[in-house]
Amino acid sequence: MESNIKFDIITSIVSEIMNIKTIPNSDSNLIELGLDSIMTIQLIVRLEMDLGVVFKDEDLLIENFTSIRNIYNLIKLRGSLTTIEEESIGEG
């Protein structure tokens, strides 16, 4: 089951990078909302720094970053979301 905490963290980072207040839903196409190549690089760096995820070269495909759900699934694949959720719950 997908945790709201996990989506909230990723959504917050994406919103900040894209300088938008709201992303309609986790399946919204971020490119259609204005995500460009520079923002994508900033997003990758920010996710790696803030969430401690390490993306592999083969992960760095635009389709992996076109929606919150795609980003969530990629980070989940890399195994960082359990740690993120535990840290967020511990802070709250």
Side-chain angles (χ1 to χ4, degrees):
M1 173 153 262
E2 299 165 343
S3 167
N4 286 338
I5 293 171
K6 297 169 187 176
F7 271 101
D8 289 348
I9 293 168
I10 296 168
T11 301
S12 175
I13 292 171
V14 171
S15 296
E16 186 177 325
I17 295 290
M18 293 182 65
N19 196 27
I20 56 177
K21 292 183 187 228
T22 311
I23 297 173
N25 64 60
S26 62
D27 292 313
S28 295
N29 187 313
L30 298 177
I31 294 171
E32 291 176 4
L33 295 174
L35 183 72
D36 62 24
S37 58
I38 300 297
M39 288 179 196
T40 303
I41 292 168
Q42 292 172 332
L43 177 59
I44 290 166
V45 170
R46 180 77 183 275
L47 290 167
E48 287 185 332
M49 289 176 56
D50 288 8
L51 304 181
V53 64
V54 177
F55 296 113
K56 295 182 177 184
D57 289 345
E58 61 265 24
D59 296 336
L60 303 179
L61 303 172
I62 192 65
E63 56 265 19
N64 287 333
F65 300 92
T66 56
S67 72
I68 300 296
R69 186 174 310 281
N70 289 354
I71 295 167
Y72 168 88
N73 288 335
L74 180 59
I75 294 173
K76 184 177 176 184
L77 177 70
R78 293 293 157 238
S80 294
L81 286 176
T82 302
T83 304
I84 293 167
E85 184 176 44
E86 288 170 0
E87 288 175 3
S88 297
I89 292 171
E91 292 174 4

